Amino acid sequence: PAAMPHGEPLAHEAWMRAQLPTEPASGLPALELVGKVDRLDGLPGGGVAIVDYKTGKAPRAYSAATDAQIRRKSFFQLRCYALLLARGGLRASPHWEGLELRARRLRLLYLGGGSAGVDVVEELPHPDSGEYEAE
């Protein structure tokens, strides 16, 4: 495979679209999932980070249960983008030929916090889980 470009985003504000099949017995048509990802970054060793910008500050630590709930809700949108990416929902670019377009990191960038002005919160999906295909 081609080398993943580092330090430069692969895409900005890219529309993604994919058909998600339904159970044949349901008689329902396939579901079309559409989204606009803020940014996709190449990662060392392959794969991409899906990045979403958030205004304000990152939520601070509460109880373990509350933190888990906030994290689940915050990353839901990025998990949908990862599913779209896994289903080939990103229009291919000739510049991406041979690159592994698989989500390896989900990253929230809170633009209103930290001494540098940005708080970064990441989720690392298990590389062999296939979790975005199953959801």
Side-chain angles (χ1 to χ4, degrees):
M4 184 69 74
H6 306 295
E8 293 203 24
L10 296 173
H12 284 99
E13 297 185 356
W15 283 100
M16 300 172 76
R17 174 184 310 256
Q19 296 286 323
L20 306 178
T22 57
E23 292 294 323
S26 73
L28 297 172
L31 174 70
E32 182 174 44
L33 184 61
V34 178
K36 187 176 182 182
V37 66
D38 286 342
R39 195 172 90 200
L40 296 175
D41 290 346
L43 294 173
V48 299
I50 297 175
V51 181
D52 190 46
Y53 297 109
K54 299 292 185 192
T55 58
K57 296 181 180 183
R60 299 293 173 220
Y62 299 100
S63 70
T66 301
D67 286 349
Q69 181 180 15
I70 290 170
R71 189 174 189 85
R72 205 170 28 256
K73 287 180 180 179
S74 297
F75 280 98
F76 178 78
Q77 178 181 358
L78 279 78
R79 289 185 195 113
C80 288
Y81 295 147
L83 176 60
L84 283 167
L85 192 62
R87 295 289 174 100
L90 184 65
R91 184 176 298 160
S93 165
H95 304 292
W96 304 340
E97 186 71 32
L99 297 180
E100 178 189 16
L101 294 178
R102 180 175 174 191
R104 297 280 184 201
R105 290 181 189 260
L106 305 178
R107 186 176 292 153
L108 295 169
L109 295 182
Y110 288 89
L111 303 178
S115 59
V118 176
D119 285 329
V120 179
V121 180
E122 286 193 331
E123 179 176 275
L124 306 175
H126 188 277
D128 300 320
S129 70
E131 72 180 274
Y132 302 121
E133 280 297 314
E135 291 184 14

